[in-house]
Each structure stands twice: as C-alpha cells, then as structure tokens.
Amino acid sequence: ENDKSSPPLPQERLIRSQSPIQAVIIPGNQRVVLISKLLHTQGFDARPIRKPTVEEGKERLRICIHSHNTLLQVQGLVHCIRKHSSDNDLLSGAIRGNSTSKL
C-alpha cells in the first residue's frame, strides 16, 4: 500500500533480483551508512555497501529477506527506507555532524 507520508522509491534505486538478497541504491558513503544506522534503531538489519566495493554513486543497502519475515515486517522496512531516504533535512544535518541523535 502506498503511504502518502513518504514518497515511493524511484525505480532506478531498486536493483532487480529474484533472490532473497535485495538492494536499494542510496548514493553516498555517509548517507548509506546513516540510513543503515537509522534502520537499525528501528529494528532492521540493512547493511551499507560502500565505495570502493561498489562504484561511486551506486552505494546501497543490502537487505536479506528470510522465510520467517512477515509481510508486516517487510512493509515496515520499506516504509522506513522511504521515509529516511527522503528526509533530506535529517540526513544533511547528520552528515554535517549537526544531528543530536546517538547513532
């Protein structure tokens, strides 16, 4: 279901895969690490894959979906990724070191 509080992820950010290992492109080493930490505080384990492992601008979150994950858990993860990847004020402040959160 499309949540109006956060925009959908652009298709070019999604990497097509038939496997349980999924990836979402979040450009920038600092940005992908920050979003990974934010997701962790929400109870999700999405690992950042950074340059030089991947090409600059193609940094990504690595997500493993398991058979024990419920639909609600997957939907919650998608919601959090959409929310945090579109929250430019939070991200830019945290990247500059102005965040008050303890990540």
Side-chain angles (χ1 to χ4, degrees):
E1 181 174 309
N2 192 6
D3 179 358
K4 303 297 182 198
S5 65
S6 56
L9 288 172
Q11 288 297 313
E12 61 271 10
R13 286 227 184 145
L14 304 176
I15 297 175
R16 292 183 156 226
S17 173
Q18 297 287 331
S19 94
I21 300 173
Q22 300 292 310
V24 178
I25 296 175
I26 308 287
N29 279 352
Q30 290 179 314
R31 186 179 181 99
V32 74
V33 168
L34 178 62
I35 291 175
S36 174
K37 288 179 180 183
L38 290 167
L39 291 170
H40 184 73
T41 67
Q42 301 287 311
F44 298 108
D45 186 13
R47 304 292 172 105
I49 308 298
R50 301 170 283 179
K51 177 187 169 216
T53 303
V54 295
E55 179 183 334
E56 185 173 2
K58 301 288 185 184
E59 295 83 3
R60 61 199 66 188
L61 291 172
R62 180 179 186 268
I63 302 161
C64 295
I65 300 173
H66 303 275
S67 61
H68 64 266
N69 292 124
T70 67
L71 180 58
L72 263 173
Q73 289 171 326
V74 174
Q75 289 172 333
L77 173 63
V78 170
H79 171 77
C80 287
I81 291 171
R82 286 173 34 206
K83 178 182 175 203
H84 294 311
S85 67
S86 67
D87 192 347
N88 291 323
D89 292 336
L90 171 68
L91 291 171
S92 60
I95 289 170
R96 285 193 312 267
N98 297 333
S99 175
T100 58
S101 65
K102 295 180 182 179
L103 302 176

